Amino acid sequence: MTAAKPPRESRPASAQSGRRASRLVDIAEAAGVHVSTVSRVLNGDPAQSIRPETYERILSAARQQGYRPNAMARALKRSRAGALTFVIPLLRNPIWVKLQRGSLQRAAERGYVVMIMEEPAEEPRPPDSYRYLVEESRADGLLVATALRIPEHAAGLPAVPHVYVNRRGPHRGNDVVMDESGAVRIFLDHVTGLGHRSVAIIDGPPEVDTVHRRVAAARRMCASRGIRLTVRHAPPTEEGGWRATTSMLRQGPVPTACGVGSLNQLFGVMGALRDAGVAVPGTMSLLSFDEDECLAFLDVPVTSVSMPLAELGGAAVDALIARIEGRPAGDLMIREPMSLLLRGSVSRPGAQPAASDVEG
Amino acid sequence: MTAAKPPRESRPASAQSGRRASRLVDIAEAAGVHVSTVSRVLNGDPAQSIRPETYERILSAARQQGYRPNAMARALKRSRAGALTFVIPLLRNPIWVKLQRGSLQRAAERGYVVMIMEEPAEEPRPPDSYRYLVEESRADGLLVATALRIPEHAAGLPAVPHVYVNRRGPHRGNDVVMDESGAVRIFLDHVTGLGHRSVAIIDGPPEVDTVHRRVAAARRMCASRGIRLTVRHAPPTEEGGWRATTSMLRQGPVPTACGVGSLNQLFGVMGALRDAGVAVPGTMSLLSFDEDECLAFLDVPVTSVSMPLAELGGAAVDALIARIEGRPAGDLMIREPMSLLLRGSVSRPGAQPAASDVEG
DNA sequence: CTGTTAGCGCTTTCAT
DNA sequence: ATGAAAGCGCTAACAG
């Protein structure tokens, strides 16, 4: 009735691999014990009371065979993949690199691997379209960093552990964001302290959550301080920054200080100011809400607000794992460390071109 | 003896998910057939000759239940994870974004997901230290884009399907690279065509494979054309570019044209030229081997060579999958599309500052 | 045309 | 202190 077990060679060998990976049963055989014993030992089962002798035999056999647990089998048994998926818009903007780095590192520390899925920047897909990764149990949860908050994307991700990173989701309770309002305050404190009374913000589209929060904070603060505020929304590209600036310079009273939402826009803004013969910081003070080392090496070094991006990435991973494990959770705002990096692009209004950042 | 099957509720429900994911057996039950039939139908088994009636019943049940195959179970059964791991240095350099994008897209087309692992740029780990991902069968193969080619890393990755991306591995046969030599030729043709006879290359450390190949090509071509060549290696940062340039300007006959290996270095190079009062392109023509849109918006727009990065990423995925599937393979060089993007930073030697790129 | 059977490699009660 | 056995969800012969 029962046929003899087929020989081991019958299984597919990976193209480049000679030897098969060793399994629990292989090391059990070598150690002369049962696989369950091996499993217990290798997992450091708390309820273990293994004879030191067999313990050693198992460990050395495992080491000698270079044993690696099969993550798929384990995932299947435990119904837990040990992987997270990061849905992220792969833009040239360097903030994503710092964010990714923070997440990868924290995830590694917590025993998870991270799969990165690109969100096409041109035609964004709703976050919902990534849940299949969890449903196929390739991942235990989703880190969603897509920037948009538009109606079609409002459905959200019920029934799948997830966290919105650097944006607020449609339902609250699953957001991990930074203190954009604090960044705006730093900007305004700096320039108003130097005497500026008419400031501008050039930023991305208002549908981007971070943009939305920066602009809202700016409106509120400027209103209460009696500061004139000009806001320009544009695509988050060099071209977008150029157009926004050029059009701003054409219309009405030109502000004397300007905060720019992204590095890419900043290049466009500087290009437009140069084309228009507007001196920085002499006629226009400039500050970037994206920090990048290259800012220090530009024609006129650009002052920026440095945001806690790596911390955001790490905190998002922690928050997601908490949800996966069913622990209570809520929205999170990462505030530290945030700092103003003084370089040469901000001065008193009407100051000479040679001026550089002046202390408070 | 045999206890009654425990109720279904006994399994762990994910924190945020109410309903469990539906399984093959669930839809088999709903359709009144056996799971193997469902499997065959859903996988479009070529040897299928299913009665259209049951076929429809199965499909509708699956659709109605929102069935998703469990990737872990499938992977376990097929001994194939359906995932690739991309080991990549998460630098600020935008070339990695384009590369990632090309890979992610191609992998998605071919039914694979991609996990990205960061290679810490500071203390690089040998490629070998990532093979555990394949050994745990989390991934079917490795895309290795770490830049270094140093002795400790020479062991390579025997026995694990892998491809070196944008660098050559220690053994040949698993490399997918771009035509760096061709890029150098474009640079030299352009500047020598304009009359330059003394050129420089400022690039990363010689241990980086792309740097090595660019410099080797430059030496060869300059020797055969009777062009004077100055080579400066420096860390691939703004700071590195600044130092290399400053030291070059101090020593001996200063070249009239300079190619720069990376965008980050380029900012440093431009800063150093500015600090030294060297006009671009009047006194020094400049070309970047990294293309990025911001180059068009700089003080003086910078001419660059645009490399086929997305194509490289896609080709690397194809090459890796070929290896995973045991198909014959070899080294690959991606040559197209590569182009010179003329902007304002290259002119005839000794030309006036206002000059911009001149045709051939 | 469809059902039966036998696992993939691992964890986890439950016995002993 | 260790072994036996069941089974995660799926696929793939092999029967009928």
Side-chain angles (χ1 to χ4, degrees), chain B residues 177-179 306-312 333-339:
Chain B
V177 298
M178 295 184 297
D179 184 15
S306 167
M307 304 291 285
L309 285 158
E311 290 76 9
L312 175 68
M333 179 173 286
I334 310 302
R335 300 172 181 277
E336 301 286 332
M338 188 161 81
S339 62

Side-chain angles (χ1 to χ4, degrees), chain B residues 3 10 21 45 111 158 179 187 189 218 281 304 314 323 338:
Chain B
S10 65
D45 187 325
D179 184 15
F187 164 57
D189 283 352
S304 72
R323 281 163 179 73
M338 188 161 81

Side-chain angles (χ1 to χ4, degrees), chain B residues 23-46:
Chain B
R23 303 157 304 172
L24 227 37
V25 33
D26 296 321
I27 106 159
E29 192 172 357
V33 294
H34 194 266
V35 304
S36 60
T37 311
V38 181
S39 173
R40 274 180 293 232
V41 168
L42 262 33
N43 288 322
D45 187 325

Side-chain angles (χ1 to χ4, degrees), chain B residues 270-353:
Chain B
M270 289 188 297
L273 293 174
R274 198 185 315 115
D275 294 350
V278 176
V280 176
T283 308
M284 176 76 83
S285 286
L286 212 54
L287 177 145
S288 171
F289 288 113
D290 260 6
E291 159 58 8
D292 189 87
E293 292 175 37
C294 74
L295 294 180
F297 290 83
L298 294 180
D299 203 1
V300 28
V302 175
T303 292
S304 72
V305 179
S306 167
M307 304 291 285
L309 285 158
E311 290 76 9
L312 175 68
V317 165
D318 286 336
L320 180 56
I321 293 178
R323 281 163 179 73
I324 289 169
E325 295 176 346
R327 271 182 280 124
D331 290 337
L332 213 55
M333 179 173 286
I334 310 302
R335 300 172 181 277
E336 301 286 332
M338 188 161 81
S339 62
L340 179 66
L341 266 48
L342 290 173
R343 295 202 257 255
S345 64
V346 177
S347 68
R348 298 187 190 287
Q352 292 310 304

Side-chain angles (χ1 to χ4, degrees), chain A residues 151-203:
Chain A
E152 303 92 85
H153 294 193
L157 288 157
V160 167
H162 67 280
V163 151
Y164 290 93
V165 185
N166 204 30
R167 63 159 284 193
R168 297 169 305 174
H171 304 304
R172 273 329 95 83
N174 295 304
D175 308 337
V176 185
V177 299
M178 295 184 297
D179 184 14
E180 303 298 336
S181 165
V184 170
R185 181 185 310 281
I186 286 179
F187 164 58
L188 289 176
D189 284 352
H190 185 46
V191 298
T192 62
L194 288 170
H196 293 267
R197 285 293 169 265
S198 175
V199 306
I201 287 198
I202 292 178
D203 214 321

Side-chain angles (χ1 to χ4, degrees), chain B residues 22 24 30 59 74 113 145 178 208 214-215 249 294 311 329 342 349 354:
Chain B
S22 92
L24 227 37
L59 243 53
R74 176 177 284 171
V113 298
M178 295 184 297
V208 174
R214 278 195 291 262
V215 167
L249 293 177
C294 74
E311 290 76 9
L342 290 173

Side-chain angles (χ1 to χ4, degrees), chain A residues 11-18 21 66 68-73 75-76 78-83 89-92 94 96-98 100-102 104-105 111 113-118 121-122 132-133 135-140 157-162 174 237-239 242 264 267-272 274 292-295 297-300 322-327, chain B residues 11-18 21 66 68-73 75-76 78-83 89-92 94 96-98 100-102 104-105 111 113-118 121-122 132-133 135-140 157-162 174 237-239 242 264 267-268 270-272 274 292-295 297-301 322-327:
Chain A
R11 53 202 331 285
S14 184
Q16 298 189 19
S17 79
R68 292 284 179 189
N70 182 312
M72 301 295 108
L76 185 57
R78 292 195 180 154
S79 350
R80 190 130 304 172
L90 275 191
L91 305 175
R92 287 175 303 129
W96 299 115
V97 169
K98 297 178 186 163
Q100 285 183 49
R101 186 174 292 170
L104 291 179
Q105 182 170 330
V113 298
V114 176
M115 309 186 308
I116 303 202
M117 296 293 294
E118 178 185 14
E122 315 76 40
Y132 79 95
L133 288 160
E135 291 175 336
E136 292 182 347
S137 71
R138 275 191 192 278
D140 297 319
L157 288 157
V160 167
H162 67 280
N174 295 304
T237 60
E238 285 83 358
E239 179 74 19
W242 193 92
N264 300 314
F267 285 111
V269 170
M270 289 188 299
R274 199 186 315 115
D292 189 87
E293 292 174 38
C294 74
L295 294 179
F297 290 83
L298 294 180
D299 203 1
V300 27
R323 281 163 179 73
I324 290 169
E325 295 176 347
R327 271 182 279 123
Chain B
R11 53 202 332 280
S14 183
Q16 298 190 20
S17 81
R68 291 284 180 192
N70 183 313
M72 301 297 108
L76 185 55
R78 292 195 181 155
S79 357
R80 189 130 302 173
L90 275 190
L91 305 175
R92 289 175 302 128
W96 299 115
V97 169
K98 296 178 187 164
Q100 284 183 48
R101 186 173 291 169
L104 291 178
Q105 182 170 330
V113 298
V114 176
M115 309 187 309
I116 303 206
M117 296 294 294
E118 178 186 13
E122 314 77 40
Y132 78 94
L133 288 160
E135 291 174 336
E136 292 182 348
S137 71
R138 275 190 193 280
D140 298 320
L157 288 155
V160 167
H162 67 280
N174 294 305
T237 60
E238 285 83 357
E239 180 72 19
W242 193 90
N264 301 314
F267 284 111
M270 289 188 297
R274 198 185 315 115
D292 189 87
E293 292 175 37
C294 74
L295 294 180
F297 290 83
L298 294 180
D299 203 1
V300 28
R323 281 163 179 73
I324 289 169
E325 295 176 346
R327 271 182 280 124

